[in-house]
């Protein structure tokens, strides 16, 4: 898997721009099978992944070298809001 985020589609502006600098990317479900490959590829491309996962089917071992937060997006909305207040992200990948 290569060039996961070479281009980002921005739906509200209906444009696509090429990513050229290191950007912080939030990945929900990043500890799952697909997500763990995505975050490794992002890092290899120079991005800074931040993972949110509830670990229902994901595994901490798969992302042990990454910054992550255990959050259930359905029941722990206040934790999610806190993350967005404390950190900034250039892109979000929702898996």
């Amino acid at each position: 898997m290569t060039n996961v985020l070479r281009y980002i589609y921005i739906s509200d502006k209906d444009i696509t721009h090429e990513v050229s600098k290191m950007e912080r990317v939030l990945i929900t479900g990043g500890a799952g099978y697909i997500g763990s490959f995505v975050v490794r590829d992002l890092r290899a491309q120079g991005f800074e992944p931040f993972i949110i996962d509830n670990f229902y089917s994901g595994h901490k071992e798969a992302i042990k070298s990454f910054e992550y937060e255990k959050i259930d997006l359905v029941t722990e909305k206040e934790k999610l809001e806190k993350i967005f207040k404390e950190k900034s992200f250039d892109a979000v990948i929702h898996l």
Side-chain angles (χ1 to χ4, degrees), residues 6-93:
R6 178 105 175 113
Y7 293 92
I8 297 175
Y9 178 72
I10 305 171
S11 60
D12 61 332
K13 296 181 182 175
D14 199 29
I15 63 168
T16 303
H17 82 280
E18 187 170 353
V19 176
S20 60
K21 65 181 178 84
M22 181 177 196
E23 296 189 30
R24 189 172 180 104
V25 181
L26 171 67
I27 302 96
T28 63
Y33 180 76
I34 295 170
S36 63
F37 282 95
V38 170
V39 297
R40 286 194 294 266
D41 191 53
L42 287 170
R43 180 181 278 168
Q45 292 182 55
F47 293 94
E48 185 181 345
F50 181 85
I51 300 162
I52 290 178
D53 205 295
N54 63 5
F55 297 104
Y56 178 74
S57 61
H59 304 280
K60 289 182 184 177
E61 299 81 29
I63 57 163
K64 60 186 172 189
S65 65
F66 292 91
E67 186 178 6
Y68 69 88
E69 189 76 34
K70 181 179 188 255
I71 298 176
D72 186 306
L73 296 176
V74 175
T75 62
E76 299 179 305
K77 292 179 183 176
E78 65 285 340
K79 283 186 177 181
L80 184 61
E81 289 173 1
K82 183 179 177 193
I83 291 292
F84 278 103
K85 287 179 183 175
E86 294 175 353
K87 301 180 183 303
S88 63
F89 302 101
D90 299 295
V92 175
I93 299 175

